[in-house]
Amino acid sequence: MASLNGTFDATEVAPAVPLEVLPPGKYLAHLIESEMAPTKAGDGQLLKLVFEILEGPSARRKIFDQLNLVNRNQQTVEIAQRTLSAICHAVGQVHVSDSEQLHFKPLLMTLKVEPAGNDKHGVYREARNKVAGYAAANAGSTSVAPSQAAPPPRPAAAAPSPAARPGTGGTPPWRRT
């Protein structure tokens, strides 16, 4: 049991609402918090990042990412360094000594959805957003949700079909004799 130091009146505070997973897409965001923290095993360090979406119906939502910058596994470190490099390039700060140099600079964050299921330890987890990449804010349209996004780019025009080539008379190959 815990004393609340008085009476809490729940009628004066709006109840918390569970946050829904955001649809996959590109979101204009900026980094608002960052800190180095030890890994669970205590043998490495993570750069923990908190981003805030800046526009659209998801504005002010927080998105979390972490980069395993100190680890015994060199491949893990290389992946984290490439991600940090993408963030640095996206915000135009390519020489950084403190993650705070990356704060409050807009970038495009691409989110994907990891479906609900058991993780590698067999523990069930709900569906969640995962950052799939970072790009400069001017690197394309700043769609804030797939429903507002421009249609995906179409592939480059293919060479004309044989039926449309000059000298074939417009006859498809399967009709020529």
Side-chain angles (χ1 to χ4, degrees):
M1 179 165 62
S3 173
L4 299 178
N5 297 323
T7 302
F8 176 75
D9 185 354
T11 63
E12 293 181 9
V13 179
V17 199
L19 293 176
E20 297 297 321
V21 174
L22 295 175
K26 294 182 185 297
Y27 295 83
L28 184 66
H30 64 177
L31 180 62
I32 61 170
E33 294 177 33
S34 59
E35 71 169 322
M36 289 298 284
T39 58
K40 283 183 186 177
D43 60 353
Q45 288 187 314
L46 304 168
L47 177 59
K48 292 188 170 197
L49 306 170
V50 180
F51 291 89
E52 180 180 60
I53 295 176
L54 295 171
E55 297 179 333
S58 303
R60 301 186 53 90
R61 277 283 299 269
K62 307 273 189 296
I63 301 295
F64 303 90
D65 201 359
Q66 59 186 24
L67 309 179
N68 203 332
L69 291 171
V70 179
N71 193 288
R72 287 181 283 159
N73 184 324
Q74 189 57 37
Q75 184 177 12
T76 298
V77 171
E78 289 170 6
I79 292 168
Q81 288 176 340
R82 284 195 302 268
T83 303
L84 181 57
S85 178
I87 294 168
C88 290
H89 280 87
V91 300
Q93 294 287 318
V94 294
H95 296 88
V96 294
S97 56
D98 189 314
S99 60
E100 197 167 316
Q101 293 172 262
L102 307 172
H103 287 203
F104 305 108
K105 294 172 173 43
L107 54 72
L108 276 183
M109 170 185 292
T110 301
L111 294 182
K112 65 180 184 177
V113 175
E114 286 188 343
N118 292 337
D119 66 12
K120 64 183 179 182
H121 304 291
V123 176
Y124 179 81
R125 62 171 173 69
E126 296 291 330
R128 63 181 176 171
N129 286 115
K130 178 134 173 95
V131 179
Y134 299 95
N138 60 2
S141 71
T142 57
S143 56
V144 294
S147 61
Q148 297 174 355
R154 292 189 173 172
S161 69
R165 285 193 201 129
T168 62
T171 307
W174 59 89
R175 292 228 171 126
R176 285 190 223 140
T177 53

